[in-house]
Amino acid sequence: ALATISEKTEQVQQQQQATTEQTETVNSTADDLETMAEWLKLSPAFSENLRTRLNRLPSNPPIAALDKDIAQNQIKKYEYQQQYDSLKELVLRPRTKELTPEQQKKEQELIETNLTLIDRLLDRSDTLIYQQATLKVAYENLNTNLNDLRNQANKRLFWAPNANPLSVNLIFNTWEKLKWFFSPFQWVNLLKIPTVVDITTLAFVMSFIAIII
């Protein structure tokens, strides 16, 4: 159990370091966003660069999972404390009369050894929970900065030119419109148009169809 708690504590410390680095990256991107705010309107290259950097940002930290882990460790600590208190009461009681003096001595030593072990477990558990609480503060800070950055960036990019207008969605939507226009049903309706049509009206209709496509 001691080895497991120590390993978890080390992992949490590594996560703290990684979260600090991620927060620095987010803050740097936020600072650059303010600098690039006016440039975004000038060229698609700037907006595309910002979109790329936003896509490379870290995901929102798993705060809920960390809360669950902290709660579980607090429960384990409570159980250790219960065991410690029970042994503490036992060590104050007279030794078992059925045992020989030598056996009573070993019983006392065993109880004291367990007390020492559980005391170390309590101490390590306190350290782990403290480190996790510190990590949670870092997670919440990173989460807030990420959300603020994405909201600000989306507002800036809304009016910014797109360097890749032929996106997959645009191609898909265009294809759907073409299928609709050239469907047999649409052409049957077109064939019902009177043979004598004003050229201006026809030109207007064809222009409207071109816009739809």
Side-chain angles (χ1 to χ4, degrees):
L2 281 172
T4 301
I5 295 176
S6 297
E7 183 179 351
K8 286 184 177 180
T9 302
E10 184 177 349
Q11 290 174 352
V12 170
Q13 290 172 340
Q14 292 173 352
Q15 290 169 339
Q16 289 175 352
Q17 180 62 33
T19 303
T20 299
E21 294 173 357
Q22 290 173 343
T23 302
E24 290 174 354
T25 299
V26 171
N27 292 342
S28 175
T29 305
D31 292 340
D32 291 345
L33 175 62
E34 293 301 318
T35 304
M36 296 171 62
E38 294 301 320
W39 300 350
L40 292 176
K41 303 175 184 178
L42 302 178
S43 170
F46 292 113
S47 58
E48 192 62 25
N49 176 265
L50 179 57
R51 288 187 178 93
T52 300
R53 293 183 63 176
L54 291 174
N55 290 334
R56 291 176 180 173
L57 289 175
S59 303
N60 290 73
I63 298 176
L66 179 59
D67 281 335
K68 182 178 179 181
D69 201 18
I70 291 174
Q72 290 175 343
N73 289 326
Q74 288 174 330
I75 291 174
K76 289 180 181 179
K77 181 193 170 186
Y78 174 79
E79 293 173 348
Y80 294 148
Q81 187 65 56
Q82 293 294 102
Q83 295 174 16
Y84 184 87
D85 293 342
S86 297
L87 287 173
K88 201 70 175 177
E89 292 178 5
L90 186 60
V91 79
L92 298 176
R93 295 176 186 175
R95 300 281 60 82
T96 308
K97 295 180 180 180
E98 290 77 9
L99 299 178
T100 65
E102 183 64 25
Q103 290 173 332
Q104 290 179 357
K105 181 180 179 182
K106 289 183 178 179
E107 181 186 33
Q108 179 74 14
E109 291 175 352
L110 181 61
I111 294 174
E112 292 176 353
T113 299
N114 286 332
L115 276 172
T116 301
L117 175 61
I118 296 176
D119 185 61
R120 292 175 64 189
L121 284 171
L122 285 168
D123 183 64
R124 298 286 179 85
S125 296
D126 277 334
T127 300
L128 173 58
I129 293 171
Y130 172 78
Q131 293 292 342
Q132 287 181 316
T134 303
L135 177 60
K136 182 181 177 180
V137 173
Y139 271 3
E140 290 174 341
N141 184 47
L142 173 60
N143 191 62
T144 299
N145 291 357
L146 270 172
N147 291 338
D148 289 346
L149 172 58
R150 290 191 177 113
N151 289 336
Q152 290 299 320
N154 288 335
K155 291 178 183 178
R156 304 286 189 183
L157 289 172
F158 183 81
W159 300 106
N162 193 340
N164 187 23
L166 294 178
S167 62
V168 174
N169 288 336
L170 179 60
I171 295 174
F172 176 80
N173 292 334
T174 303
W175 172 246
E176 291 298 315
K177 291 174 183 176
L178 287 172
K179 286 198 301 182
W180 170 83
F181 177 70
F182 288 107
S183 64
F185 176 78
Q186 297 301 327
W187 282 103
V188 168
N189 290 334
L190 286 174
L191 291 175
K192 295 179 182 179
I193 297 176
T195 54
V196 179
V197 180
D198 181 75
I199 295 179
T200 304
T201 303
L202 181 60
F204 172 79
V205 172
M206 295 306 294
S207 300
F208 179 75
I209 292 174
I211 293 174
I212 294 178
I213 297 176

